[in-house]
């Protein structure tokens, strides 16, 4: 069962939420497709090891603690028998503002958190692994993050509020730059530091994610209707994004088991 809780108020500029999911089964590895989602997160896997299958059919074992940058293509999670996920879902600028590390280093990939942040995270990882409840995991993580907030690296800027808009993809680069009180060039530079990708590409991923959520929520909606609702030029424009981001056509994508949020 998925559990979600909000962070301490002092962490809200950096952290969106904490997620906890524990799945136990006796089947072979269960495959769950995941299309690009506009997010950055820290993940901990205290139980059985997770594997990921990519579009080139390569399979990789995932470390038990990782930072994931902006994903740009679909992959399949291979869920083990005793799967436990604890996720720190970050604000779009959260990691960059806390630690001053550009997200360009993590685009379309992941890295062990301890290799990025040092030995301090090893103790956090071990304590999370030994925690008995979601609440204990949150408490351990919040104590660590609150210490970091006291010495965060990058001050809040108007661009951070712009990034947190759920309807980001509805606006042009000029409109977004103006709202952030920046020139287009300054906006793009600061945006890439925070997310790892350009505003245009991020907007495409955010819009595509919204289209996927609509389709999963209302399977009978036509793709033409969804394209219109999400601001695509036409049905074919949406289908081109679908092929790029999932490596499939809609009829070949497993919406019943896909992880879309």
């Amino acid at each position: 069962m998925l559990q979600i809780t909000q962070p301490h108020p002092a962490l809200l500029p950096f952290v969106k939420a904490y997620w906890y999911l524990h799945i136990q089964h006796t089947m072979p590895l269960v495959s769950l497709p995941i299309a690009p989602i506009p997010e950055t997160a820290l993940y901990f896997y205290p139980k059985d090891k997770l594997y990921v299958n990519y579009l080139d059919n390569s399979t990789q074992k995932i470390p038990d603690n990782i930072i994931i940058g902006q994903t740009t293509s679909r992959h399949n999670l291979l869920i083990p028998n005793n799967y436990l996920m604890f996720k720190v879902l970050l604000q779009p600028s959260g990691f960059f503002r806390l630690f001053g590390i550009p997200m360009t280093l993590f685009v379309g990939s992941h890295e062990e958190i301890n290799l990025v942040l040092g030995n301090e995270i090893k103790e956090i990882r071990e304590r999370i692994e030994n925690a008995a409840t979601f609440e204990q995991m949150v408490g351990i993580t919040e104590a660590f993050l609150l210490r970091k907030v006291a010495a965060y690296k990058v001050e809040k800027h108007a661009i951070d509020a712009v990034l947190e808009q759920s309807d980001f993809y509805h606006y042009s680069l000029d409109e977004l730059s103006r709202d952030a009180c920046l020139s287009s060039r300054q906006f793009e530079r600061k945006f890439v530091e925070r997310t790892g990708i350009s505003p245009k590409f991020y907007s495409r991923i955010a819009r595509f994610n919204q289209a996927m959520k609509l389709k999963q929520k209302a399977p009978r909606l036509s793709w033409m209707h969804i394209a219109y609702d999400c601001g695509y030029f036409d049905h074919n424009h949406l289908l081109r994004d679908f092929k790029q981001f999932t490596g499939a056509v809609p009829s070949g994508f497993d919406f019943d088991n896909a992880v879309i949020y």
Side-chain angles (χ1 to χ4, degrees):
M1 180 177 69
L2 177 65
Q3 298 180 59
I4 301 175
T5 192
Q6 297 301 301
H8 185 285
L11 289 172
L12 278 172
F14 309 93
V15 177
K16 280 186 179 181
Y18 302 102
W19 290 34
Y20 176 95
L21 178 64
H22 194 186
I23 298 174
Q24 293 177 294
H25 64 87
T26 57
M27 299 178 288
L29 293 173
V30 175
S31 180
L32 302 180
I34 298 185
I37 297 165
E39 71 168 34
T40 301
L42 309 179
Y43 283 87
F44 296 87
Y45 302 107
K47 301 295 184 183
D48 291 355
K49 299 299 183 185
L50 175 71
Y51 287 80
V52 171
N53 178 252
Y54 298 100
L55 288 178
D56 63 2
N57 284 325
S58 63
T59 299
Q60 182 180 15
K61 182 169 70 173
I62 302 300
D64 60 14
N65 70 104
I66 56 174
I67 173 172
I68 289 187
Q70 177 59 60
T71 57
T72 57
S73 63
R74 169 225 178 146
H75 56 278
N76 297 329
L77 295 183
L78 303 179
I79 303 299
N81 299 125
N82 190 15
Y83 173 71
L84 196 158
M85 176 204 77
F86 173 61
K87 176 166 78 168
V88 183
L89 179 58
L90 298 164
Q91 297 287 4
S93 303
F95 190 84
F96 175 71
R97 290 194 58 223
L98 269 177
F99 302 106
I101 300 173
M103 291 306 299
T104 48
L105 298 174
F106 311 109
V107 175
S109 65
H110 62 266
E111 186 57 84
E112 291 187 61
I113 305 170
N114 56 280
L115 296 181
V116 179
L117 300 183
N119 290 332
E120 186 179 8
I121 205 69
K122 290 183 178 180
E123 179 189 352
I124 304 301
R125 181 194 66 193
E126 290 170 2
R127 292 179 63 198
I128 287 173
E129 185 173 337
N130 293 320
T133 67
F134 178 34
E135 290 73 19
Q136 289 177 4
M137 293 180 182
V138 170
I140 292 164
T141 306
E142 293 232 300
F144 166 71
L145 291 175
L146 285 168
R147 291 196 301 272
K148 296 303 177 183
V149 165
Y152 64 85
K153 301 299 184 182
V154 180
E155 292 288 343
K156 187 173 179 65
H157 188 280
I159 192 175
D160 300 310
V162 170
L163 259 168
E164 291 167 18
Q165 296 176 126
S166 60
D167 57 351
F168 179 93
Y169 56 90
H170 281 305
Y171 301 99
S172 69
L173 178 58
D174 286 343
E175 290 172 316
L176 295 168
S177 301
R178 186 169 60 249
D179 289 346
C181 305
L182 295 168
S183 69
S184 296
R185 182 174 296 179
Q186 290 172 323
F187 180 84
E188 181 143 1
R189 178 177 60 80
K190 288 183 178 292
F191 193 99
V192 171
E193 283 180 332
R194 285 158 167 76
T195 67
I197 59 177
S198 71
K200 183 177 180 180
F201 196 29
Y202 185 89
S203 183
R204 285 181 62 201
I205 290 173
R207 180 172 55 188
F208 180 70
N209 177 244
Q210 179 62 22
M212 295 290 275
K213 287 191 290 187
L214 277 177
K215 186 63 175 178
Q216 191 175 58
K217 183 178 179 181
R220 294 186 179 182
L221 277 182
S222 70
W223 283 109
M224 188 169 294
H225 185 110
I226 290 171
Y228 176 79
D229 277 359
C230 294
Y232 283 93
F233 294 127
D234 55 30
H235 172 247
N236 288 329
H237 185 200
L238 170 54
L239 291 182
R240 284 195 296 273
D241 273 3
F242 198 103
K243 184 67 182 295
Q244 176 175 346
F245 291 137
T246 72
V249 295
S251 60
F253 188 80
D254 185 4
F255 277 93
D256 291 336
N257 293 310
V259 178
I260 301 170
Y261 57 87

